[in-house]
Amino acid sequence: MFDSRNPVFRDPVGAVADGTPVHFKITLPRALHCSAARLMIKDGFTGREITRGMFWCGMNGGDGEWWECHFTPEKPGLFFYRFQTDTERGILQITRGRGGEGVFSDAARFWQLTVYDREFATPDWLAGGILYQIFPDRFARSAQPKTGVPADRRLHESWEEQPDWRPNEDGRITNTDYFGGDLRGIEEKLPYLQSLGVTCLYLNPIFESHSNHRYDTADYSKIDPLLGNEQDFTSLCAAAEKAGIRVVLDGVFNHTGSDSVYFNRQDRYAAPGAYHSKNSPYYPWYTFRHWPKEYDCWWNFITLPSVNESEPSYREYVNGENGIIRKWLSADAAGWRLDVADELPDFFLDELRAAAKAQKRDALILGEVWEDASNKTAYGQRRRYLLGKQLDSVMNYPFRSAILGFLTAADAGDMMEIILGILENYPPQVIRLLMNHIGTHDTERALTVLAGEPLDGRGREWQSTARLTRERRRRGLRLMRLASLMQFTLPGVPCIYYGDEAGMEGYRDPFNRACYPWGQEEKELVEWYRLLGRLRRNCSALREGDFLPFLADGSCMGYLRRDEAVSLLCVVNAGAESRSVRVPGEWRQSRAVIGVVPDGNNTLYLNPEDCAVLLKKETAKAAGPECGQFQKESVELKK
């Protein structure tokens, strides 16, 4: 009756710019004797109901008929719709069934129409690239002397030691153990990152803080002394730019540290903070229920006092003409990843984006949102992250769930539905920059999820000694090849969490934040990532090409990426049994980037837990010499 993902029924499909006429068309059985049909729309922000009458527009074969109408959204927003028909059986509702298909039902399952600002533009430089996330204390340590480091920090003697996880004598976990990774160390590893095809570094917080994760900012205006100084940061950015790599910073603007120049609960700083004086310029930044010891804090962590983002002096400090956002962009940062974007008010995000784009037109603003960011409701308010005035893109946790779920026995059809749902709801300029990760500093390592025992609520004591057996690890490395292949070929930009490519494992913080194992990497896996990097660089369809689902059956998934030049067919078998997959005859003329080409019967054979990637030119100019060079490299690598 209707399929929101098929242009026969809805044209255009997906998110649209405001002012775009959207054509809706449904087909009904002639036997229903439909006398009227209506498109029923609800504004997701105002709740206003909109009705559009549909017109009979002809027969669909001998026993069906077509009804159609247009709806033109005049402004950015979010709309939920269904259809209503008057028939001889009474009023029948057509609502959303599985996927985008319509069914007769009274269930409140509606389709979504995302309408974004027609002026919405996102940075071109990240499209088709590769992100690499670095936890600065644990990636690489230079020989540069550390100066100005507070005396209460403990540095591990060995890079190979396990991060501290036990509570101290007071029963608190302080996160005050460090390994000494620094900005100069990252700069020294740029050739390695370049060999992976990395085009952008995302650094976890680098500003002065008094914990190893640095999400408890002490001074936004200074680099943490263990990492270096502002000169080291500009040196890193300059060297990275020469290597074709940009640097994105982590902005934590919902809260500060209690041990900070702003709050100063621990008396570390000379000037009084909000905790010690109501006359402090920072006192209005915080909300005290009973000054000074009772105050609002993030998730009830007393070390993370929440900031009142509506306070004018704080907004000016962060988003003003001489504020923090512009300061670090002027120091050559390429953009910001915003921590807990859910908890930043709309007006603050609006101002932050405006400040960033005024300083650097192509600055990237990327938000931490764990769910579908197009329809997220946070603290009782519908959010408008992706409509054009706030975020350029988001961390793509739904794709992580789909990839890891598929590879750990979830049904391929269900996981494909997660992927297609995001692609249907997000604006295209957001999709091309989606941060496609399979693990971060907030999750278990992908290798552990794929091959380890389920965490099932086990505590840190168990996690501290949990290691993959040799057999589990061998299987996990095979599955990591499949997970990374999907990560690199789905729409968006893959983000490698440092060390995933080296075979690092570990459950939750701090075990997922160990030091990079320089000299002890899984070399075959690193080479696999380099192969995927060359694929990203040389296949234009992976930049902004169409995504077409090809297969989602049990333990097998396949999809097509296509632009005017080339088509790429990716098929993954996550199961323990071999699979044969029929492909269209045109793919007999393709080249095997990974795996083998189909046989004479158009059948592609996949071993257990294996994959195939086929590349086919679409036009005479097509892939050009670069794709040919990639073919040569990939064949040599497989040998």
Side-chain angles (χ1 to χ4, degrees):
M1 291 183 291
F2 180 76
D3 185 347
S4 63
R5 298 168 184 166
N6 185 335
V8 170
F9 296 94
R10 215 203 87 176
D11 188 24
V13 298
V16 301
D18 61 282
T20 301
V22 183
H23 182 229
F24 292 91
K25 198 172 181 180
I26 61 174
T27 184
L28 299 171
R30 184 70 170 166
L32 284 177
H33 298 291
C34 181
S35 59
R38 292 169 293 279
L39 171 66
M40 313 293 291
I41 303 171
K42 183 175 182 179
D43 188 314
F45 285 94
T46 68
R48 184 170 69 98
E49 299 279 356
I50 305 168
T51 302
R52 290 286 184 270
M54 305 186 77
F55 299 91
W56 187 90
C57 59
M59 297 296 294
N60 180 15
D63 55 2
E65 58 185 15
W66 290 104
W67 294 75
E68 67 180 354
C69 71
H70 280 85
F71 170 65
T72 303
E74 300 297 339
K75 62 180 182 179
L78 195 66
F79 300 90
F80 298 97
Y81 64 93
R82 67 192 191 282
F83 302 93
Q84 190 178 82
T85 61
D86 296 342
T87 75
E88 66 174 12
R89 289 163 48 188
I91 296 176
L92 298 180
Q93 306 280 348
I94 302 175
T95 61
R96 183 170 190 154
R98 181 174 174 82
E101 295 184 358
V103 295
F104 285 125
S105 172
D106 290 328
R109 295 198 65 215
F110 307 138
W111 289 274
Q112 176 179 315
L113 172 62
T114 305
V115 182
Y116 55 88
D117 190 320
R118 62 174 46 256
E119 302 299 322
F120 183 23
T122 56
D124 289 328
W125 57 264
L126 184 57
I130 299 173
L131 282 152
Y132 192 93
Q133 180 187 350
I134 290 177
F135 194 80
D137 185 58
R138 312 284 165 81
F139 179 64
R141 179 176 60 194
S142 74
Q144 178 174 269
K146 314 295 184 185
T147 59
V149 179
D152 56 354
R153 300 186 183 185
R154 185 182 79 80
L155 264 69
H156 287 266
E157 293 184 3
S158 170
W159 187 254
E160 287 75 31
E161 289 178 12
Q162 187 178 64
D164 287 357
W165 59 270
R166 291 183 175 86
N168 64 12
E169 58 275 11
D170 298 323
R172 295 186 301 112
I173 296 173
T174 62
N175 295 305
T176 53
D177 65 310
Y178 296 80
F179 288 85
D182 54 17
L183 298 180
R184 188 64 60 86
I186 297 172
E187 183 175 339
E188 291 172 356
K189 297 300 183 181
L190 285 173
Y192 167 73
L193 296 168
Q194 192 176 25
S195 78
L196 294 173
V198 171
T199 60
C200 181
L201 300 181
Y202 153 44
L203 306 183
N204 286 116
I206 63 171
F207 305 121
E208 182 174 312
S209 306
H210 301 294
S211 66
N212 52 44
H213 55 71
R214 299 188 173 94
Y215 280 93
D216 54 343
T217 312
D219 192 336
Y220 293 103
S221 68
K222 296 179 181 178
I223 303 294
D224 191 87
L226 257 181
L227 296 176
N229 54 36
E230 189 166 339
Q231 183 178 353
D232 293 320
F233 176 73
T234 56
S235 174
L236 169 61
C237 290
E241 184 178 5
K242 290 181 181 178
I245 299 172
R246 305 202 192 198
V247 180
V248 168
L249 297 176
D250 209 332
V252 187
F253 300 120
N254 167 260
H255 52 268
T256 67
S258 61
D259 190 2
S260 67
V261 68
Y262 316 108
F263 203 80
N264 205 18
R265 184 170 178 262
Q266 280 74 17
D267 288 323
R268 186 184 298 270
Y269 297 92
Y275 187 82
H276 286 287
S277 173
K278 293 184 179 181
N279 294 322
S280 167
Y282 308 118
Y283 177 79
W285 289 15
Y286 304 94
T287 301
F288 290 93
R289 296 186 298 277
H290 190 276
W291 184 80
K293 293 188 177 181
E294 295 181 18
Y295 47 88
D296 289 350
C297 45
W298 186 74
W299 284 33
N300 296 319
F301 289 108
I302 63 169
T303 57
L304 301 175
S306 297
V307 172
N308 177 13
E309 294 94 343
S310 63
E311 165 57 34
S313 63
Y314 181 70
R315 291 160 70 176
E316 182 66 20
Y317 180 80
V318 176
N319 297 328
E321 188 171 347
N322 298 308
I324 294 301
I325 294 299
R326 296 194 187 202
K327 169 183 169 61
W328 293 106
L329 290 175
S330 68
D332 289 336
W336 291 90
R337 176 264 188 187
L338 302 180
D339 186 55
V340 292
D342 293 348
E343 305 190 35
L344 297 172
D346 280 332
F347 64 81
F348 190 84
L349 288 175
D350 293 343
E351 292 175 355
L352 191 153
R353 180 184 181 85
K357 302 295 182 177
Q359 181 65 41
K360 187 174 287 188
R361 181 173 295 181
D362 65 350
L364 176 71
I365 306 298
L366 189 148
E368 179 194 14
V369 182
W370 286 57
E371 304 85 1
D372 182 332
S374 70
N375 53 38
K376 178 70 184 286
T377 297
Y379 298 95
Q381 182 178 357
R382 178 82 66 187
R383 304 308 302 265
R384 48 183 175 84
Y385 303 124
L386 307 183
L387 300 186
K389 300 296 185 184
Q390 295 185 354
L391 305 178
D392 289 316
S393 195
V394 289
M395 301 177 72
N396 197 358
Y397 279 94
F399 275 20
R400 174 183 186 265
S401 297
I403 293 171
L404 299 185
F406 166 61
L407 295 174
T408 53
D411 181 73
D414 292 338
M415 299 304 100
M416 179 66 82
E417 180 57 30
I418 293 175
I419 295 167
L420 293 175
I422 292 297
L423 299 182
E424 182 174 7
N425 291 345
Y426 284 18
Q429 56 270 63
V430 171
I431 291 171
R432 69 177 188 154
L433 302 188
L434 280 173
M435 178 180 161
N436 291 345
H437 60 85
I438 54 175
T440 71
H441 61 293
D442 286 327
T443 67
E444 297 97 322
R445 286 276 177 178
L447 181 60
T448 298
V449 174
L450 291 169
E453 294 183 42
L455 188 56
D456 288 341
R458 291 176 167 122
R460 288 187 167 200
E461 181 79 45
W462 180 85
Q463 293 180 53
S464 69
T465 58
R467 298 290 185 277
L468 296 177
T469 64
R470 181 177 299 180
E471 183 179 346
R472 280 180 176 267
R473 184 172 175 85
R474 197 158 40 231
R475 179 170 184 265
L477 293 172
R478 289 199 305 272
L479 293 176
M480 277 295 289
R481 292 171 75 249
L482 306 185
S484 54
L485 172 68
M486 295 179 68
Q487 180 189 13
F488 272 63
T489 56
L490 287 170
V493 179
C495 182
I496 306 168
Y497 181 44
Y498 81 102
D500 273 359
E501 80 281 13
M504 289 181 67
E505 58 183 88
Y507 286 90
R508 294 184 180 169
D509 169 28
F511 309 108
N512 58 351
R513 304 177 182 181
C515 294
Y516 187 98
W518 297 108
Q520 301 175 52
E521 305 92 331
E522 291 282 354
K523 290 184 169 37
E524 288 187 5
L525 188 59
V526 172
E527 288 303 320
W528 172 261
Y529 271 81
R530 287 179 173 139
L531 171 63
L532 295 178
R534 292 196 293 275
L535 176 59
R536 291 284 301 179
R537 183 173 65 247
N538 294 326
C539 183
S540 60
L542 294 179
R543 179 180 174 90
E544 297 180 66
D546 295 333
F547 175 88
L548 301 172
F550 169 71
L551 171 69
D553 176 25
S555 61
C556 206
M557 184 183 292
Y559 48 86
L560 185 71
R561 298 298 309 279
R562 182 181 66 194
D563 65 6
E564 294 180 353
V566 295
S567 289
L568 199 73
L569 179 64
C570 306
V571 186
V572 177
N573 176 20
E577 304 292 333
S578 298
R579 286 290 299 265
S580 58
V581 177
R582 293 275 293 179
V583 299
E586 62 195 74
W587 287 95
R588 290 173 60 187
Q589 307 304 317
S590 64
R591 296 180 179 180
V593 175
I594 296 167
V596 296
V597 296
D599 66 11
N601 295 317
N602 304 329
T603 301
L604 189 64
Y605 292 95
L606 294 175
N607 290 324
E609 296 174 346
D610 204 358
C611 58
V613 178
L614 308 180
L615 185 144
K616 179 171 65 70
K617 296 183 180 182
E618 290 294 332
T619 67
K621 63 178 184 178
E626 285 189 339
C627 266
Q629 177 62 24
F630 170 75
Q631 287 295 331
K632 180 179 177 182
E633 290 176 345
S634 63
V635 169
E636 289 174 351
L637 177 58
K638 284 185 287 185
K639 288 180 180 178

